[in-house]
Amino acid sequence: MGGKYRITGDTYPRMRRPRHRRRLVLAGIGAVVVLGLVGWGTLQLIDVFTGGDKTANAADHKRDCPTAKPSVAPAKALPKPAAIKVNVYNATTRTGLAKAAAEELKKRGFTIGEVGNASKEYDKKVPGAGVLLGAPAAKNGSFTVLGTQLAGTVQKTDTRKTGEVDLILGAKFKAFSTPKEATAAMTALTKPAPAPSPSC
């Protein structure tokens, strides 16, 4: 090159990178920093309004809960078999069924009253295993105890004032529960139930 742009000597002009690239890089870094700060600030605000760390709060709450032993609800009081007078009636076509059933219940400790055929209201009209008939007070006592001896019975109440219970044997009656099954059922009924632990 000649004229006034002619290069002489051993000194060369310094080549510089365009400044606009540096500005773009700095602007990008600044944007990332700003977004990070905004996100961090948002999380802080959320913690303030929602009560902070729920896990930590739950742990503190459990720590404050008293470790009391679970209470036990009292056992359900049921009458003894000897205190239940049972009238046994046969509503089926099988002869001698009421007598055999009454003898079995007597062996199991029940007091036996009348034994015979069912009245016209129930004769040959009990399709299930049997019907327990008694005063309303028997529903949560005598019916429950006698029901452990024969599964599938239907409970009915009438206007009687006495505490005796009628067992009317139906068409599906085959046998009483085994003594072991009846004892297990009675134990389950009288076993104290654990009361719900206090919620903390």
Side-chain angles (χ1 to χ4, degrees), residues 84-155:
I84 303 173
K85 185 177 180 180
V86 185
N87 301 320
V88 185
Y89 299 110
N90 182 8
T92 74
T93 57
R94 289 174 282 172
T95 58
L97 188 63
K99 183 180 179 181
E103 290 176 354
E104 180 61 30
L105 288 176
K106 187 176 181 179
K107 291 179 184 178
R108 300 187 183 200
F110 290 89
T111 301
I112 304 301
E114 295 183 6
V115 179
N117 293 324
S119 62
K120 290 182 180 180
E121 182 182 356
Y122 292 99
D123 189 27
K124 301 179 184 64
K125 296 176 183 178
V126 180
V131 173
L132 298 179
L133 184 64
K139 292 184 69 174
N140 295 321
S142 301
F143 282 178
T144 303
V145 177
L146 191 54
T148 62
Q149 308 298 319
L150 179 59
T153 54
V154 176
Q155 299 180 5

Side-chain angles (χ1 to χ4, degrees), residues 10-166:
D10 55 359
T11 302
Y12 298 92
R14 183 177 297 173
M15 305 298 290
R16 296 182 179 179
R17 292 181 179 179
R19 293 186 178 181
H20 64 278
R21 290 185 180 177
R22 188 179 299 173
R23 290 176 183 175
L24 289 174
V25 172
L26 291 176
I29 294 173
V32 171
V33 172
V34 170
L35 288 174
L37 291 173
V38 170
W40 179 81
T42 302
L43 290 175
Q44 294 299 316
L45 288 174
I46 291 174
D47 285 343
V48 169
F49 287 106
T50 59
D53 189 358
K54 293 182 180 179
T55 305
N57 287 342
D60 293 340
H61 191 57
K62 288 181 180 178
R63 234 179 274 123
D64 295 339
C65 181
T67 55
K69 294 181 179 179
S71 57
V72 177
K76 186 178 180 180
L78 292 172
K80 299 291 184 182
I84 303 173
K85 185 177 180 180
V86 185
N87 301 320
V88 185
Y89 299 110
N90 182 8
T92 74
T93 57
R94 289 174 282 172
T95 58
L97 188 63
K99 183 180 179 181
E103 290 176 354
E104 180 61 30
L105 288 176
K106 187 176 181 179
K107 291 179 184 178
R108 300 187 183 200
F110 290 89
T111 301
I112 304 301
E114 295 183 6
V115 179
N117 293 324
S119 62
K120 290 182 180 180
E121 182 182 356
Y122 292 99
D123 189 27
K124 301 179 184 64
K125 296 176 183 178
V126 180
V131 173
L132 298 179
L133 184 64
K139 292 184 69 174
N140 295 321
S142 301
F143 282 178
T144 303
V145 177
L146 191 54
T148 62
Q149 308 298 319
L150 179 59
T153 54
V154 176
Q155 299 180 5
K156 291 186 177 182
T157 59
D158 55 16
T159 57
R160 74 181 68 185
K161 302 298 181 181
T162 59
E164 62 187 20
V165 176
D166 296 346

